[in-house]
Amino acid sequence: MASFEEVSHMQEHAAQPFKIGIEHVALASRGQYVVYVIRITRGAYETVVVRRYSALRELHDRLVTRYKTSSRIRQLAFPEKQVFSLVIPSEDDVEDRKRKLDKYLRALFLLPIIYVDQDVRDTFKLDSMRLSTDDFGGAETEVIALGDDDNEQDEPMTYEEL
């Protein structure tokens, strides 16, 4: 694996940098958790993934451990975990976390490490990007199970559907 210093100038030489943004937030499993629909583009290519906060947190923790000598990784402000009570979290709480996660992801994707770190590439499906279209139809969207422990499947809910 290349060290952070070995790839410190990769982004400067990249023809087209990655762009990332959270497109949509949804409640899943009857409001027990929130999922984030994340679109990543690079030139004419894109991919869309659905991730929970916990998966993004685990990635961040692995990056901090792996690149512990990199102040740029350690200084990324990952949003603190919020304990959502037994009721569905408020729209303001969800929107606040979305804004913070979006800011974190944009900062992460400015770092050259994203070009070589396999965890980042796997988490965001960077190796399976497809030609983009104006809607989600052209992107590869990962389908995840959103059901509870009883394997009961339910679709993500938006606030408008509550």
Side-chain angles (χ1 to χ4, degrees):
M1 175 188 325
S3 72
F4 189 82
E5 289 73 27
E6 290 177 73
V7 296
S8 63
H9 297 289
M10 286 184 78
Q11 185 177 24
E12 295 170 3
H13 300 292
Q16 297 178 331
F18 289 102
K19 294 179 184 175
I20 188 168
I22 297 176
E23 294 265 322
H24 184 70
V25 177
L27 298 176
S29 196
R30 295 184 201 97
Q32 291 180 351
Y33 57 87
V34 176
V35 293
Y36 301 90
V37 179
I38 304 167
R39 182 186 301 257
I40 303 101
T41 61
R42 186 175 192 192
Y45 293 88
E46 70 180 0
T47 190
V48 176
V49 295
V50 178
R51 294 288 178 264
R52 290 178 64 176
Y53 170 89
S54 58
L56 298 172
R57 180 71 211 198
E58 289 168 6
L59 172 66
H60 174 76
D61 292 345
R62 286 192 306 271
L63 292 174
V64 168
T65 300
R66 185 175 300 133
Y67 303 106
K68 56 186 161 208
T69 61
S70 169
S71 62
R72 294 174 77 185
I73 294 285
R74 286 192 326 269
Q75 291 174 354
L76 289 177
F78 193 88
E80 291 299 318
K81 182 173 180 135
Q82 296 172 303
V83 178
F84 294 133
S85 64
L86 296 176
V87 298
I88 295 173
S90 76
E91 187 172 354
D92 289 341
D93 288 341
V94 172
E95 187 59 35
D96 183 54
R97 183 186 275 175
K98 175 191 174 220
R99 184 181 48 76
K100 290 175 181 176
L101 272 174
D102 197 59
K103 183 177 178 181
Y104 167 82
L105 291 172
R106 290 174 193 272
L108 175 65
F109 270 67
L110 290 175
L111 300 178
I113 200 62
I114 63 164
Y115 293 90
V116 295
D117 188 87
Q118 198 60 49
D119 269 349
V120 172
R121 298 190 72 77
D122 291 345
T123 298
F124 297 106
K125 306 294 182 195
L126 299 182
D127 294 326
S128 62
M129 296 179 80
R130 305 250 173 113
L131 280 173
S132 63
T133 63
D134 291 337
D135 59 16
F136 281 106
E140 180 174 329
T141 303
E142 179 181 358
V143 178
I144 61 170
L146 299 176
D148 56 23
D149 293 337
D150 298 325
N151 288 330
E152 182 181 315
Q153 300 291 317
D154 63 341
E155 294 297 315
M157 301 178 297
T158 63
Y159 277 98
E160 293 78 27
E161 297 171 326
L162 295 177

